[in-house]
């Protein structure tokens, strides 16, 4: 057996082929596990060379509608602008776009002198009856939808070579896919809601679009929004619209956006919710910046679509949840009508103030946690409560409010503000009970510490009082001793003077001494000074003069003894 090494045409991985196929075993297994052989063959026949998952695919199983389609009239076209314009119906000018089987040109309708757009079958499909019938069906359906967001069809005809075309209003602008990333969320939602209006109108007429995507929405220079490419449309709920395909024919769509039942060619599940899925896929792209599936290979992407495998979207938010519900795998789990999808988006948009408050609260919560800021916590909690007042079902605000309250209480607990921590929690909330128990335990521990400290303070005060009492007692005892010593000195002086001067004189002499003692602060007499007084008295108690030796005497006092005086110095006394 000869092995040929090559790269898988699906995933690009190098592999050794023993079958001559250009698809690796892993990709083949993925396709075989997803599709039955008939469905896989249908899609393999429908995928053209060089197509990607964002290109529109129409299955080869097209059922002829020739009996019900109108007969186009012959029209003259000219690609030569130099030719006399009066001789042709349409002057074809430049190419402005192309799709799976069709190509679009700008043109000039000579009969009424206006610019139009002409859509024709691509030259390579010019001989294909199914391609021509698809284009005619598209023209008929588009012409039946009289709606501001559906481009008006002016004419349907064939040129001199038998090539089918139809003329429509020329919309000057760009596909939404070119501008979607430049526009704000609100601008894109405005466009999406107008597209949804158009699809709801089509559903009311029994028409299912089946190929909604930003590439098929044209944005005009003056606010026009046109839903294009109705060639994939089919009948809805048994509706009988001339030129419209039944729902079990011509399976088609774009793999990157396609609903699972479309990828599986499950006609029993095809319905309004299939277009709802496509609207949700566009909303998903508005939010994430890419289609639900970014796999480029159309067949592999079809397998992903059949399993409803959607690329991860990152951060969860309300519009994303709306998109994911619209893109639920089971049609019964989606919004059951375009109007229900629009209502969900409308409710989200009317809650913009609530969401703005939520955004502000997130900033305050982060600041509060980073800086342990009570004021920021209060602002965040207030904003979140206001947000919930505006929108009770704002689950993000509800969840953030719960965590902010717990963070606030935890912050207060750490800082020792137990009353504050307890005040922001509710005993009726099961989520708060654990933290409330921690707070109560911390309060008990704090109270125990306070009691211990109080007892220590009382003991210290008692000790201070005892020290004060002992100090006062000691002071009084010292004062008593001093008074006792002073009294003894007084008595000694009385005894000294009375011994030398007689009973009748000593009392007056002592009083005079004490007057000077109190006046001049001479209570520092030493035993030596008293001895000097004794010696001076003993030398001559009655007559003569005595050299006392008192320097710088403070003054003198008359003694009661005739011819005697007291000489008083700072620390000396002599008679």
């Amino acid at each position: 057996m000869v092995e040929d090494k090559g790269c898988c045409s699906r995933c690009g991985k190098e592999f050794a082929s023993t079958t001559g196929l250009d698809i690796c075993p892993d990709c083949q297994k993925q396709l075989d596990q997803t599709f039955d052989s008939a469905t896989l063959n249908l899609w393999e026949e429908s995928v053209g060379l060089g197509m990607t998952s964002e290109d529109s695919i129409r299955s080869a199983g097209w059922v002829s509608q020739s009996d019900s389609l109108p007969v186009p009239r012959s029209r003259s076209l000219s690609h030569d602008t130099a030719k006399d314009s009066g001789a042709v119906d349409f002057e074809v000018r430049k190419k402005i776009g192309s799709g799976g089987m069709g190509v679009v040109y700008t043109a000039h309708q000579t009969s009424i002198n206006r610019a139009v757009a002409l859509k024709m079958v691509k030259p390579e499909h010019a001989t294909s009856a199914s391609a021509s019938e698809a284009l005619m069906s598209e023209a008929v359906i588009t012409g039946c939808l009289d709606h501001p967001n559906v481009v008006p069809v002016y004419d349907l005809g064939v040129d001199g070579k038998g090539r089918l075309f139809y003329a429509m209003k020329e919309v000057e602008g760009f596909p939404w896919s070119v501008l979607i990333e430049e526009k704000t969320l609100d601008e894109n939602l405005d466009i999406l809601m107008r597209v949804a209006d158009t699809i709801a109108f089509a559903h009311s007429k029994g028409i299912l679009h089946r190929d909604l995507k930003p590439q098929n929405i044209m944005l005009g220079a003056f606010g026009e929004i046109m839903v294009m490419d109705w060639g994939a449309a089919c009948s809805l709920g048994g509706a009988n619209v001339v030129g419209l395909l039944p729902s079990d024919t011509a399976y088609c769509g774009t793999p990157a956006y396609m609903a699972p039942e479309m990828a599986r060619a499950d006609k029993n599940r095809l319905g309004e919710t299939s277009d709802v899925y496509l609207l949700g896929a566009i909303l998903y792209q508005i939010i994430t910046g890419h289609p639900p599936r970014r796999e480029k290979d159309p067949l592999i992407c079809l397998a992903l679509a059949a399993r409803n495998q959607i690329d991860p979207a990152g951060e969860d938010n309300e519009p994303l949840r709306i998109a994911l519900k619209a893109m639920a795998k089971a049609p019964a789990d989606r919004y059951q009508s375009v109007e229900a999808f629009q209502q969900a988006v409308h409710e989200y948009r009317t809650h913009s103030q609530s969401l703005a408050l939520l955004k502000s609260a997130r900033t305050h919560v982060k600041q509060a946690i980073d800086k342990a800021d009570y004021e920021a916590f209060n602002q965040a909690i207030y904003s979140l409560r206001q947000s919930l007042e505006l929108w009770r079902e704002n689950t993000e605000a509800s969840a953030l409010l719960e965590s902010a309250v717990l963070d606030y209480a935890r912050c207060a607990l750490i800082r020792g503000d137990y009353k504050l921590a307890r005040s922001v929690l509710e005993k009726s909330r099961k989520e708060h009970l654990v933290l409330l128990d921690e707070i109560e335990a911390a309060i008990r521990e704090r109270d125990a510490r306070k009691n211990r400290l109080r007892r220590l303070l009382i003991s210290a005060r008692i000790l201070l009082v005892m020290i004060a009492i002992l100090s006062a007692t000691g002071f009084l005892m010292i004062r008593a001793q001093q008074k006792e010593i002073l009294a003894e000195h007084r008595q000694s002086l009385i005894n000294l003077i009375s011994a030398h001067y007689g009973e009748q004189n000593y009392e007056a002499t002592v009083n005079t001494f004490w007057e000077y003692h109190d006046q001049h602060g001479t209570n520092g007499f030493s035993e030596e000074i008293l001895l000097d007084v004794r010696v001076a008295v003993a030398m001559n108690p009655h007559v003569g003069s005595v050299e006392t030796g008192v320097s710088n005497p403070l003054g003198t006092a008359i003694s009661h003894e005739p011819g005697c005086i007291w000489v008083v110095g700072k620390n000396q006394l002599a008679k």
Side-chain angles (χ1 to χ4, degrees), residues 78-81 91-98 103-108 116-120 170-174:
S78 172
H79 292 266
D80 184 3
T81 57
E91 294 176 352
V92 182
R93 293 177 177 172
K94 65 177 181 178
K95 177 181 172 181
I96 57 174
S98 64
V103 58
V104 182
Y105 299 91
T106 61
H108 180 72
V116 297
L118 287 184
K119 186 167 185 179
M120 308 176 70
E170 181 186 8
V171 180
E172 295 183 3
F174 297 93

Side-chain angles (χ1 to χ4, degrees), residues 190-268:
D190 283 337
I191 297 168
L192 180 62
M193 289 299 95
R194 289 178 63 181
V195 171
D197 287 338
T198 312
I199 301 306
F201 173 76
H203 287 180
S204 73
K205 300 296 183 181
I207 298 173
L208 195 66
H209 190 285
R210 295 199 296 182
D211 198 18
L212 291 169
K213 56 183 177 180
Q215 292 94 320
N216 286 342
I217 312 300
M218 182 66 71
L219 305 183
F222 301 98
E224 306 100 317
I225 296 174
M226 296 293 178
V227 180
M228 311 293 287
D229 201 352
W230 292 86
C234 69
S235 62
L236 179 65
N240 185 18
V241 179
V242 175
L244 191 62
L245 294 170
S247 60
D248 59 349
T249 59
Y251 297 106
C252 54
T254 302
Y257 300 87
M258 195 179 286
E261 63 272 17
M262 297 171 67
R264 290 184 178 275
D266 186 353
K267 64 180 181 180
N268 295 320

Side-chain angles (χ1 to χ4, degrees), residues 10-27:
R10 302 300 174 195
C11 65
K13 184 172 65 177
E14 186 176 309
F15 75 105
S17 174
T18 59
T19 62
L21 298 176
D22 62 350
I23 181 170
C24 71
D26 290 339
C27 289

